[in-house]
Amino acid sequence: MWFEDAALLSRILTAMTLSFHILYATIGVGIPLMILIAHWVGIKKNDEHYILLARRWARGFVITVAVGVVTGTAIGLQLSLLWPNFMQLAGNVIALPLFMEVFAFFFEAIFLGIYLYTWDRFEDQRKHLLLLIPVALGAAASSVFITIVNAFMNAPQGFDILNGELVNVSPLLAMFSPAVPTKVAHVMATAFMTSAFVLASIAALRIVQGSKHIYHKKALLLTMKLGFVFSIATALIGDFSGKYLAEYQPEKLAAAEWHFETEGEADLILFGVLDGDEPKYAIRIPFALSILAHGTPGAEVTGLNEFPEDEIPPLWIHYLFDLMVTIGMWLAFFSAVYVLGAWRKWPIIQKKWFRWLTVAAGPLALIAIEAGWWFTEVGRQPWILRGYMKTSEAATTSGQVDLMIILFAGLYFILGVGTIVVLSRMYKRNPVEKELAQREKADKGGGTE
Amino acid sequence: MTLEIIGISVLWLFLFLYVIVASIDFGAGFFNAYSAFTNKQHILTGIIQRYLSPVWEVTNVFFVFFFVGIIGFFPQTAFYYGTTLLVPASIALVLLAVRGSYYAFATYGAKINHRGYIYMYGLSGLLLPASLSPVLAMSEGGFIKMDGAQPYLDYWALFTSPLMWSIVVLSIAAVLYISAVFLTWYANKAGDVKATELMRKYALIWAGPAIITATGIIYELRSHTPEHFARIMDLWWVFAISFLLFVGTVYLIWKKKNYGWAFILLVGQFFTAFFAYGASHYPYLLYPYLTIYDSFTNESMAIALIIAFIAGLGLLLPSLYLLFRLFLFDKDYVKGKSDYHA
């Protein structure tokens, strides 16, 4: 063992697993909806291109689902392996949504298998489309349930502690903690937004690479429209999340905003670096923090100085918060320009540099997802269960966590590289032009395959 | 019936279902690799992929269901097993991850047919049951020890224990046996004579080791945990039924008839043995530290979980039925007449 701090090592391993998993999980939640929409538009417009879009997305989706499933299994077990004391407590209070998440996942797995293997099997395309609804619902539901578990860790309720023992446990009350509405809504909206931008990136990349096919243009416009809608939703819900934090977890908001003194008419601090207790080189937006926190410019915002020193989160979460918000704002603005430009036929959106910006949208959204989760998770330190259990009390006592970090780092490296290699091979070997030509030929020959 | 018994029965049932579906999956990978090794791959690959592709993800869920469920119903298990299992469970997780993602990469994505990968996939299918089965040995007691209030795993005692190694051998033999019987039936349904013949041979080969190691373990428990052995003896008649079902399966496979019934008898054999073993383990989850009573969750959570479980089953059973009807029991699909792959 490098050093004796099993809690720190457990944190590193958990952070590594989750950071890797959420990339796939986010896509896993969002893409079924995108496939559903494309498939539906295809049927409605009777346009072969959209159907093919759904089909090709679905094919790539399987690869990301596979990695999502196995890394999800990993984090599921790691919770008990690395945080046995926490899971012992959580098992008593919050097992219900964990259990329900597995059901949702089960449901999704069954119908995804069916959807993937019944293309052209039904005469009526709409029947096949129906199979996708449980997939999208299952994916969304499992994200709802697992986010509920996370919300509980941020705002525990539904139990009492009497002489160190848990009493009066109410599973439903624990499930519907005050953090649930904003958290669940934010997770869903960002998952849809990110998936839309990731798919937009792929279409834009094909155009940049020189493909002139109308298929990519249709794909790009559809996904950018969806990305725009969901990024607006994300921004709105983000504002509610700020109000939630001010009310229930003021230390997180204060640390994110480097807000030390409790005061009214609080400034919002954008960017900057911290020099002791003084933010430097920052842009201050007057009243904005008060508005974010309570909706009025004069409202008083609780500062960090109100909290005991060993109960405040690290101050570097400010950078994560800024990164997340900045990317979110940029993507909302950028997709608005794109959609407007496509509608008004602005030549700018055809420019190569603009296309490259579009290519960047997907990776940017993924970075924002990472930053957002890091912010929310590091922002509740030192607690694993805010107000009840500190992270250091929850960790395993096992001495082998360091070796496991190396083991899993190797695994995630292989899975990450594998995903990229397999996906790019899959689409390069079978470009859309080739597939369309094949399908036309098959249609003329009278066959369906 | 108490809530504790309902809880553990539900979990035991899901573990059993995982054992069956995962055995088919792990064994299929091994037979595929072995047939590649002996240049007979063309005989088996098609059959195996047609079965596995739509269901591999579902297989995984049974496992997740079990470990999420056990933490829910018996939170104390997180403390004992969670602390001690870090290394073996992490190894199993890595194997599971490599296997699951490789399968998707290879079948849906890149269509990798490199032999090295096929061998590794096959081998991992045997390593997985081997890495998961020590947990059963640990639950017998004697391997998890206490350092003050903190449990730790005595690796030396575990790795020098004949009981642990017998369980490992049993798990591998059982995986190959279950898988071979299932694939014999499935290949026969597909009308694939060559594949049926090959799988039938494997089924007969692995029947012996499976039953011999199972009997051996009961014998070893006599000295390891006499208390457990005594309860097994109380249930001797259930094990006897299990043995008769085993004889029935082998007979049908030998006589080349009713492969469907042969598989059903096999499931019956494992079902009876698995539940008799579980019942004889009662009331311990981890001998001698944890019983199902002292580790059980509070009553309101137990009731909530059972309600969620019933509601979940209401959703799952029809869906599973649909899945089976469309793939496992669909003649055209099984025979590979039509390919509706995305």
Side-chain angles (χ1 to χ4, degrees):
Chain A
M1 188 129 188
W2 309 316
F3 42 96
E4 286 298 310
D5 192 353
L8 180 67
L9 293 172
S10 299
R11 284 182 64 192
I12 294 173
L13 181 49
T14 310
M16 193 168 78
T17 303
L18 273 175
S19 301
F20 189 72
H21 175 65
I22 52 174
L23 296 175
Y24 294 88
T26 303
I27 291 176
V29 170
I31 293 215
L33 184 73
M34 305 300 140
I35 300 176
L36 184 68
I37 292 172
H39 200 154
W40 179 70
V41 170
I43 291 171
K44 228 182 133 210
K45 289 192 175 171
N46 197 14
D47 185 334
E48 178 77 1
H49 287 151
Y50 288 99
I51 304 260
L52 193 61
L53 201 57
R55 196 164 178 149
R56 288 172 67 87
W57 283 348
R59 228 176 273 155
F61 179 60
V62 193
I63 305 298
T64 60
V65 164
V67 181
V69 168
V70 295
T71 53
T73 311
I75 189 63
L77 253 181
Q78 274 179 4
L79 280 178
S80 301
L81 297 173
L82 297 172
W83 310 100
N85 300 308
F86 165 69
M87 283 308 274
Q88 193 186 349
L89 180 71
N92 274 306
V93 190
I94 197 75
L96 184 61
L98 269 176
F99 201 60
M100 288 162 84
E101 196 238 343
V102 185
F103 274 114
F105 172 35
F106 222 139
F107 197 54
E108 181 196 346
I110 290 173
F111 282 93
L112 183 63
I114 299 178
Y115 180 76
L116 288 173
Y117 280 82
T118 50
W119 281 94
D120 301 327
R121 186 158 160 180
F122 302 106
E123 280 292 315
D124 190 345
Q125 271 286 344
R126 278 175 298 184
K127 266 195 197 161
H128 188 228
L129 177 68
L130 281 180
L131 289 168
L132 201 56
I133 293 172
V135 179
L137 279 180
S142 58
S143 80
V144 169
F145 292 129
I146 206 65
T147 310
I148 285 177
V149 176
N150 182 270
F152 171 80
M153 295 162 88
N154 279 280
Q157 64 169 31
F159 63 99
D160 294 318
I161 290 187
L162 201 69
N163 304 327
E165 298 223 356
L166 282 171
V167 289
N168 298 335
V169 175
S170 160
L172 285 178
L173 204 61
M175 254 182 93
F176 297 104
S177 67
V180 166
T182 46
K183 245 184 206 293
V184 167
H186 198 66
V187 164
M188 304 277 279
T190 51
F192 296 140
M193 171 186 114
T194 304
S195 303
F197 284 127
V198 165
L199 295 171
S201 286
I202 296 171
L205 186 66
R206 290 296 296 133
I207 296 173
V208 169
Q209 285 171 343
S211 173
K212 298 251 184 288
H213 206 284
I214 182 81
Y215 167 92
H216 298 298
K217 285 194 184 140
K218 285 180 185 170
L220 187 55
L221 185 58
L222 177 68
T223 49
M224 286 304 265
K225 273 184 196 161
L226 291 167
F228 171 68
V229 170
F230 288 115
S231 57
I232 294 299
T234 300
L236 281 176
I237 298 159
D239 179 61
F240 293 140
S241 305
K243 293 182 174 44
Y244 160 80
L245 284 182
E247 181 76 28
Y248 291 93
Q249 248 177 320
E251 76 277 15
K252 194 191 260 185
L253 185 68
E257 277 306 319
W258 292 341
H259 185 67
F260 295 96
E261 295 296 330
T262 300
E263 58 186 7
E265 305 182 357
D267 300 345
L268 186 86
I269 297 177
L270 265 185
F271 313 116
V273 285
L274 202 61
D275 181 16
D277 264 6
E278 259 328 287
K280 270 188 176 174
Y281 317 114
I283 306 166
R284 285 177 176 272
I285 306 174
F287 311 118
L289 184 58
S290 288
I291 295 175
L292 176 68
H294 301 288
T296 50
E300 192 176 85
V301 182
T302 315
L304 273 178
N305 295 344
E306 309 289 320
F307 299 92
E309 209 149 299
D310 61 342
E311 286 182 17
I312 58 174
L315 294 175
W316 56 268
I317 60 170
H318 172 76
Y319 305 112
L320 297 171
F321 186 70
D322 274 358
L323 186 63
M324 168 184 82
V325 173
T326 311
I327 292 177
M329 291 296 173
W330 162 251
L331 288 176
F333 168 76
F334 180 75
S335 53
V337 170
Y338 187 94
V339 174
L340 203 63
W343 176 49
R344 310 287 313 187
K345 301 215 162 40
W346 292 345
I348 179 177
I349 64 165
Q350 307 274 7
K351 290 270 188 327
K352 196 146 194 177
W353 63 268
F354 198 86
R355 291 277 190 233
W356 276 114
L357 281 181
T358 323
V359 174
L364 277 178
L366 287 170
I367 291 171
I369 292 279
E370 293 285 354
W373 272 114
W374 275 76
F375 161 65
T376 193
E377 294 303 278
V378 179
R380 72 179 146 100
Q381 291 307 316
W383 302 106
I384 191 166
L385 204 57
R386 184 184 176 273
Y388 291 97
M389 186 186 259
K390 291 220 169 134
T391 311
S392 52
E393 301 159 350
T396 178
T397 46
S398 172
Q400 285 100 10
V401 185
D402 46 0
L403 290 175
M404 298 304 113
I405 292 180
I406 299 170
L407 183 72
F408 280 100
L411 173 70
Y412 302 144
F413 178 76
I414 293 171
L415 292 182
V417 173
T419 315
I420 295 169
V421 170
V422 168
L423 281 179
S424 52
R425 246 202 227 180
M426 200 162 146
Y427 290 108
K428 259 187 205 141
R429 278 188 192 170
N430 188 16
V432 69
E433 290 82 355
K434 191 171 145 199
E435 197 171 348
L436 274 170
Q438 269 171 0
R439 292 184 71 81
E440 246 164 61
K441 213 166 116 193
D443 276 349
K444 275 181 194 150
T448 47
E449 249 314 302
Chain B
M1 208 144 89
T2 60
L3 288 174
E4 286 89 346
I5 303 272
I6 295 178
I8 195 67
S9 306
V10 163
L11 294 173
W12 203 238
L13 177 70
F14 269 80
L15 188 60
F16 171 74
L17 292 174
Y18 179 65
V19 166
I20 297 293
V21 290
S23 294
I24 295 172
D25 183 342
F26 297 158
F30 176 79
F31 288 126
N32 194 28
Y34 183 72
S35 62
F37 184 70
T38 51
N39 288 319
K40 288 176 188 154
Q41 205 196 353
H42 54 281
I43 305 181
L44 289 184
T45 303
I47 288 282
I48 289 174
Q49 275 194 3
R50 266 204 300 284
Y51 165 71
L52 285 184
S53 293
V55 301
W56 71 267
E57 220 193 333
V58 180
T59 304
N60 240 314
V61 193
F62 282 103
F63 180 55
V64 180
F65 191 101
F66 175 74
F67 72 71
V68 169
I70 199 159
I71 303 298
F73 279 105
F74 305 98
Q76 291 271 341
T77 54
F79 176 67
Y80 284 95
Y81 283 110
T83 307
T84 50
L85 278 174
L86 178 68
V87 176
S90 294
I91 293 171
L93 270 179
V94 169
L95 285 170
L96 209 66
V98 169
R99 236 183 108 74
S101 52
Y102 163 76
Y103 184 79
F105 287 176
T107 34
Y108 304 97
K111 311 253 188 279
I112 307 164
N113 271 320
H114 191 277
R115 287 204 165 190
Y117 292 115
I118 294 171
Y119 294 155
M120 271 169 58
Y121 185 71
L123 198 64
S124 71
L126 294 191
L127 288 175
L128 254 169
S131 69
L132 288 172
S133 51
V135 183
L136 278 182
M138 286 161 66
S139 75
E140 293 295 336
F143 305 115
I144 291 181
K145 299 192 172 144
M146 298 301 281
D147 176 17
Q150 289 300 336
Y152 70 96
L153 179 59
D154 185 344
Y155 283 98
W156 177 253
L158 186 67
F159 281 109
T160 52
S161 153
L163 178 68
M164 197 278 283
W165 289 109
S166 317
I167 293 179
V168 168
V169 176
L170 169 68
S171 67
I172 294 174
V175 157
L176 294 175
Y177 176 56
I178 293 171
S179 184
V181 172
F182 174 82
L183 289 171
T184 307
W185 168 66
Y186 196 71
N188 184 52
K189 241 173 100 74
D192 190 333
V193 181
K194 274 188 174 166
T196 314
E197 205 31 56
L198 193 60
M199 288 320 300
R200 177 180 163 268
K201 207 174 83 195
Y202 293 148
L204 291 174
I205 289 173
W206 286 102
I211 199 77
I212 291 167
T213 43
T215 322
I217 286 165
I218 295 183
Y219 178 75
E220 271 158 39
L221 279 176
R222 197 162 80 163
S223 50
H224 190 90
T225 337
E227 231 187 293
H228 191 179
F229 180 75
R231 278 192 305 270
I232 288 182
M233 283 301 116
D234 291 343
L235 289 168
W236 69 269
W237 56 274
V238 189
F239 289 99
I241 293 174
S242 178
F243 182 75
L244 289 179
L245 291 168
F246 166 76
V247 173
T249 309
V250 175
Y251 175 80
L252 289 176
I253 300 259
W254 182 261
K255 287 283 177 196
K256 295 188 188 180
K257 57 185 181 192
N258 291 332
Y259 291 131
W261 271 105
F263 182 68
I264 291 171
L265 293 184
L266 170 118
V267 173
Q269 174 210 337
F270 277 87
F271 185 82
T272 44
F274 200 77
F275 272 80
Y277 172 81
S280 66
H281 208 285
Y282 173 86
Y284 289 103
L285 287 171
L286 171 61
Y287 184 84
Y289 303 113
L290 271 188
T291 69
I292 60 171
Y293 296 101
D294 53 33
S295 63
F296 199 55
T297 187
N298 55 80
E299 198 182 330
S300 49
M301 180 54 80
I303 292 169
L305 286 178
I306 288 170
I307 293 172
F309 174 74
I310 293 168
L313 272 193
L315 204 64
L316 274 190
L317 291 178
S319 321
L320 277 173
Y321 172 75
L322 183 67
L323 183 74
F324 285 148
R325 228 195 62 172
L326 284 171
F327 299 108
L328 209 51
F329 301 120
D330 187 88
K331 276 204 183 104
D332 285 348
Y333 179 79
V334 174
K335 289 186 178 157
K337 275 187 189 155
S338 41
D339 177 20
Y340 304 108
H341 188 333

